[in-house]
Amino acid sequence: METGSPDDTGTAGATRAADRAGPAGAAGSAGPAREEPVWTGLPPGLLRMRRLLLVVWLGLLTLAAGVLPALFLDPLWAALALLPLALLAWGWVMLGRNWRSWRYAERADDLLISRGVLWREETVVPYGRMQLVEVTSGPVERHFGLASVQLHTAAAATDATIPGLDPAEAERLRDRLTELGEARSAGL
């Protein structure tokens, strides 16, 4: 099953494969060339929400770690505030890398979800195996205008989630996946 590399988008990979095969390779090939998936990234609202939550929680921790000991013990204890600030800077960068790693692609027979920075994980969910497609949005997500799509299959290991979508896109994806799932599972 060809899924493409993280750097490839669109159908450029399929065109290159057809060019390499040439006229002689096309006649002797086992089947038609499969197009590379068209990957869709997550909207920037998810990154803004996660970074704001990081600033709020680590800001409170910075105050607790630096101001309170400095008031009640010694002003030198205010240096403890540097640790949460360093964690904030590191988390800011890591959240950006994680957000860029999330993407999904709708193919003819399945949905691909790819994520991960150090450990890449790619989930393939065949449309015919989907049992339930949910759109969820908690209070913080609703405030930022975001929703998540969760896919449930018979095997618990293949349940997948696409976080931080625009609500209109999440509903469109839910309706499309439900429609394709019903069409693909009709023969089962």
Side-chain angles (χ1 to χ4, degrees):
M1 181 180 319
E2 187 173 320
T3 58
S5 70
D7 299 328
D8 288 341
T9 58
T11 58
T15 305
R16 285 192 303 270
D19 291 344
R20 280 192 303 262
S29 65
R34 224 172 145 174
E35 291 187 14
E36 291 291 316
V38 177
W39 293 100
T40 304
L42 299 180
L46 178 66
L47 180 61
R48 283 193 300 272
M49 178 190 76
R50 288 181 174 174
R51 282 183 170 169
L52 179 65
L53 290 173
L54 178 75
V55 168
V56 167
W57 288 112
L58 286 180
L60 291 173
L61 185 61
T62 300
L63 287 174
V67 173
L68 293 176
L71 287 176
F72 295 114
L73 298 173
D74 191 292
L76 285 175
W77 286 96
L80 286 176
L82 295 177
L83 184 61
L85 289 177
L87 190 59
L88 174 72
W90 179 79
W92 189 273
V93 173
M94 291 298 110
L95 283 174
R97 289 183 66 195
N98 180 270
W99 172 77
R100 282 189 300 276
S101 76
W102 275 88
R103 59 196 184 141
Y104 65 96
E106 299 173 59
R107 296 194 307 184
D109 297 322
D110 49 30
L111 177 74
L112 302 175
I113 301 172
S114 179
R115 64 190 170 279
V117 177
L118 292 177
W119 288 274
R120 299 285 306 162
E121 184 175 332
E122 189 166 294
T123 304
V124 180
V125 183
Y127 297 133
R129 301 288 179 154
M130 286 188 284
Q131 293 181 335
L132 176 66
V133 181
E134 289 181 309
V135 174
T136 59
S137 184
V140 176
E141 286 179 311
R142 279 194 307 273
H143 177 73
F144 282 91
L146 300 172
S148 296
V149 174
Q150 186 168 8
L151 309 161
H152 298 279
T153 63
T158 58
D159 288 356
T161 302
I162 304 173
L165 297 174
D166 294 321
E169 171 65 8
E171 290 176 10
R172 183 205 65 82
L173 190 59
R174 177 198 60 205
D175 294 342
R176 176 163 165 69
L177 294 176
T178 302
E179 178 183 310
L180 289 169
E182 288 173 356
R184 298 294 192 279
S185 66
L188 295 179

